[in-house]
Amino acid sequence: MAIALRTLDDGAWISVDDSREVAVSDVWTLSSGRFCECAPAHVLLEGFYDVGADGSTVVAGAVGRCLDCGDSGSIDRLPVGRIVDGAFSPYGPSGVQSTLERPVRDARGRGWQIRPAGERGGEN
């Protein structure tokens, strides 16, 4: 079964099957190293620039600002929910978000990003 994922309203919402499901302007708690050096980082999301699926997990590209240290930047693969039995189940911003992938700082020294598949090493 196909699920339609897209951003709406200039990146203010993530739409799942034409229903607004995840909004910016929430404070998301990100695990150590996911966005800045704060442990954990409390990031106010300011906009989504991409959305997609990684298996059953819905991931979004987002920009925001850490309320603890003031760093601003982007994160390419923020888990915002998952697909369970063909339906979207959102993750709440109050839960600590992380992935199994190791974060790296981008070449410009801004934000934390996840290395693309094939660049993490140890993959076949």
Side-chain angles (χ1 to χ4, degrees), residues 12-26:
W13 287 91
I14 292 177
S15 168
V16 180
D17 284 338
D18 296 322
S19 175
R20 287 175 171 84
E21 295 288 343
V22 182
V24 296
S25 73
D26 281 328

Side-chain angles (χ1 to χ4, degrees), residues 6-121:
R6 62 188 177 132
T7 61
L8 294 177
D9 301 330
D10 294 326
W13 287 91
I14 292 177
S15 168
V16 180
D17 284 338
D18 296 322
S19 175
R20 287 175 171 84
E21 295 288 343
V22 182
V24 296
S25 73
D26 281 328
V27 176
W28 287 69
T29 304
L30 305 179
S31 66
S32 178
R34 289 279 292 149
F35 186 81
C36 60
E37 304 215 4
C38 296
H42 299 95
V43 177
L44 174 65
L45 294 186
E46 298 169 339
F48 296 112
Y49 58 83
D50 193 17
V51 65
D54 183 355
S56 63
T57 302
V58 176
V59 293
V63 294
R65 177 173 306 277
C66 178
L67 298 178
D68 301 311
C69 69
D71 272 0
S72 63
S74 64
I75 187 164
D76 284 338
R77 297 173 43 116
L78 174 67
V80 295
R82 62 191 178 121
I83 306 298
V84 179
D85 296 327
F88 179 70
S89 176
Y91 295 147
S94 62
V96 177
Q97 299 298 317
S98 67
T99 66
L100 298 177
E101 300 165 310
R102 183 172 174 251
V104 295
R105 194 157 297 261
D106 73 5
R108 295 167 300 222
R110 292 181 290 160
W112 290 89
Q113 298 182 358
I114 302 300
R115 293 182 189 184
E119 291 185 13
R120 293 186 294 261

